[in-house]
Amino acid sequence: MAYSDKVVDHYNNPRNVGTLDKNSTEVGTGLVGAPECGDVMRLQIRVNPETQVIEEAKFKTFGCGSAIASSSLATEWVKGRTVDDALAIKNTDIVKELSLPPVKIHCSVLAEDAIRAAIGDWKKKNGVGETVASPFAHGS
Amino acid sequence: MGSAAAQVEAPAGVTLPIYMDNHATSPLDPRVLEAMTPYFTSKFGNAASRNHAFGWEAEQAVETAREQIARLIGANAKEIIFTSGATESDNLAIKGIAEMYRERGNHIITQVTEHKAVLDTCKRLEKYGYRVMYLPVKANGIIDLEDLKRAMDEKTILVTIMAANNEIGVLQPIREIGKLCHEKGVLFHTDAVQAVGKVPFNVMADNVDVASISAHKIYGPKGVGALYVRRRNPRVQISAQIDGGGHERGMRSGTLNVPGIVGLGKACEIAQEEMDEEGRRLEGLRDRLKEKLESELDYVHVNGSMEQRLPGNLNMSFVYVEGESLLMGINDVAVSSGSACTSATLEPSYVLKALGLGDDVAHSSIRFGLGRFNTQAEVDYVAAKVIDIVKKLRELSPLYEMVKEGIDLTKIEWQAH
């Protein structure tokens, strides 16, 4: 499989790799995917309680190069946005940015799920709105 | 987090990319090419042309190749049938026997880690009313002979079990399988593609009735293979699957691929001369690679028996790292992975799953296939590169972090998709 230059760049230089304190009330954690499916993404955000702006985002991903690139890109995109703005990120945006082929679209779906799960976790911790469940059920 | 890009330099004498996927195919040995070349140009005759020198010359070359192949496997030259490759050989053997012996029975026994050329052929026969028993394998990849004994019934006409597995390199106990078959009057076919020329294989000592052989796995050309068909004790009969001019004793019509056949013969001759020494050398390189990887990395797992194994095969899982991402990091080394992401079906390797490995371990597997032209310097480079990339990808792996924190991954409710 040939990878796009952007996928290769994120794979070689992944942005925002790391771990935030999942017990902090400012931090939301999304853990999506499953080891037996070959991809697991963990995306974490630290949200400013005053402004609801995502000030920090970290990820770790077990998965193929496209899964790593999708989650790396997701951390870049959510940083600096408010949580509501971040929810507007769609998997199709990731597909377009990384030029993912059809067999890798599920990687982008997983990244969108991870964003939603992390924000949902933060909202739950802070009693903001209701937990946002992913409307995207995707086949394996 | 450092860059996952290449940071291991190739030493002097190592040319990139490195080919270490010799179970998929092998490079043509220059000596084989040299033997083949005249049969593309000046010696272009049709081996079936009986009335002129061009035909005689081609026929002579084919007969020499037949003898070279027969000698390597302990057969008689008359027992060698040329085909387009091992997939055709497997199809011809299994379908040809099923058809020929239909009145005697309709039961076939095989096992779950066979190549698709065998499994899919058996599946097709099931549609035509044959019963097929797919034996399981033990955790080491080897069948249990007791299972085979129990599976045989009065309707069993054929047992087809490979000599060596293409993914995990595990050797099946073909000698005992063949003995059991002969005691029960059942024919024994073996897909010997990965074994011939790599480990001792003798149709007499190993009680084999029919065997599939491929040229391109033993440093010969692609598109040519052979089928050994026993002529005595018992005399095996096979229904032709391709009809036409009645070539190859009526079992396989079609003008012979003379240059390819010459190449297959030469490849067998070289294998016979060099197999012992080459096997020892490859085993040494393979063990060196394994030891280096195991000494630097935790959570690595060898798939399949280390004792009953091809000398050039190493199949390892680097747990908590996904195989395709690992291949991407070592893109100047040609190996293959059991990861779903690398397969056309998006399913992880059925061979690894048959060993009882979880899908997650199958996703993490890499097959190293060492061959005639690999060097120690290449092995050292590949080991260093894999170690470097696995470490980097584990820094990126949430699973590795969780396991290091003492979290039991099996207790987590994963959102399977």
Side-chain angles (χ1 to χ4, degrees), chain B residues 98-145:
Chain B
E99 191 182 328
M100 184 62 81
Y101 294 84
R102 183 69 181 86
E103 286 182 7
R104 190 181 295 179
N106 68 341
H107 187 228
I108 295 168
I109 300 170
T110 184
Q111 58 91 24
V112 291
T113 68
E114 290 293 312
H115 192 273
K116 289 286 183 189
V118 168
L119 291 176
D120 288 353
T121 300
C122 288
K123 278 184 196 142
R124 183 175 295 277
L125 288 174
E126 284 185 280
K127 287 185 193 159
Y128 299 153
Y130 290 85
R131 290 183 296 126
V132 180
M133 172 74 194
Y134 301 88
L135 298 176
V137 292
K138 296 179 281 187
N140 63 5
I142 296 171
I143 65 157
D144 188 332
L145 288 168

Side-chain angles (χ1 to χ4, degrees), chain B residues 99 110 144 151 181 220 245 255 265 277 280-281 290 337 352 366:
Chain B
E99 191 182 328
T110 184
D144 188 332
C181 289
T255 296
E277 195 187 327
R280 276 193 298 275
R281 190 182 75 87
K290 174 174 173 283
S337 170
L352 297 179
I366 298 287

